[in-house]
Amino acid sequence: MRVLVTGASGFLGIAIVAVLAEYGHHVTALTRTGRPVPGSHRTLTGDVLDLASLDAAVADVDGVCHLAALVRARESLEEPARYWRTNVGGTVNLLDALARTATRARPKKIVLASTAAVYGHSGRQPVDEEAPLWPGSPYGTSKLAADQAAADVAATGLVGAVSLRAFNIAGGMPGHHDRDTTRLIPKILAVQAGHAGELVVNGDGSAVRDFVHVLDMADAFARALDACEPGEWRPYNVGSGRMTSIRDVLVAAEQVTGRPVPVRHGPAAPEPPVSLADPSRIQNDLDWRPKRSDLPQILTDAWSALPARPPDGQR
């Protein structure tokens, strides 16, 4: 297929471009900078808030992996309008462009990067796709609205859509690491690499999360793209289904890096004690498996992907 990837220069975007290329797809990367993305056939400069650039970008593609979004839940509490403008407005612009360039003889496909944040502080664990939708931040509500917009446009029959609701994406690939140190694993490894002094843990470290390797997530996108059916929208939860506490991550990080993690405990944050995916639906429907998502592999790949680090004793 000819596939457009929006937000292609991000942590997940680069991995998706690489995996789609391995699947044999002809990939166009859309970024705001226009810098070439490894594995893509071409890179376009554009923005999902610019309708003109989207019309040109989707005109000759068969499908889109839509990643361009704002993704920090806490930041969204301070800037809700910005999150709605980008996450909802940008998605609606893209869906509009797709629908206008599709025909019933040649429908188009879209796979959206959604989030487990649409479920909020669900008491139902592990979380399947039937769990109550109760997002607790503008980030979550904007992503849920984007999912609904995709479902409504898909209902016209011009588009087939899938929303992949990711839990915690982590890991790395050669030459490419996660630069967002607001996330737990990049923050820990920044400390271990000497780029930060300590890790502040909210609470006692007993909170449980579900981590999925970035390359496993990218593989889910490739499989979902193949599975899109005109007239349908389907959500899938994507996670390893493995319970991992913050303490578990700290222990594994020390084993992988060979260094103790300096930790300072702060007050517990108003966050769910457990957030765990039930990935049964995507496993059954798309034959997807989290092949790289065991914790040691995630941390090893993330650590190996970091730029040159100071040697032990010189941090």
Side-chain angles (χ1 to χ4, degrees), residues 3 5 10-23 25 65 67 111 113 164 166 169-170 172-173 176 212-226 238 282 286 288-290 292-293:
V3 184
V5 179
F11 177 53
L12 178 57
I14 288 175
I16 287 175
V17 170
V19 169
L20 289 176
E22 288 179 4
Y23 271 73
H25 298 305
C65 293
L67 316 177
V111 182
L164 296 181
I169 304 170
M173 50 191 288
H176 177 52
V212 61
H213 197 290
V214 65
L215 287 172
D216 284 336
M217 190 73 206
D219 185 63
F221 270 82
R223 291 170 183 269
L225 194 64
D226 284 336
V238 189
I282 191 170
L286 306 187
W288 175 86
R289 296 294 184 274
R292 304 171 184 86
S293 293

Side-chain angles (χ1 to χ4, degrees), residues 5-10 14 29-38 42-48 53 68:
V5 179
T6 72
S9 61
I14 288 175
L30 182 70
T31 73
R32 288 187 293 175
T33 66
R35 285 195 294 269
V37 176
R42 61 173 178 161
T43 300
L44 301 178
T45 304
D47 193 307
V48 291
S53 67

Side-chain angles (χ1 to χ4, degrees), residues 10 20 42 49 54 101 110 142 146 152 183 205 279 292 294 298:
L20 289 176
R42 61 173 178 161
L49 297 180
L54 285 179
T101 57
I110 182 169
S142 66
D152 289 346
R183 295 196 274 253
R292 304 171 184 86
D294 61 287
I298 285 173

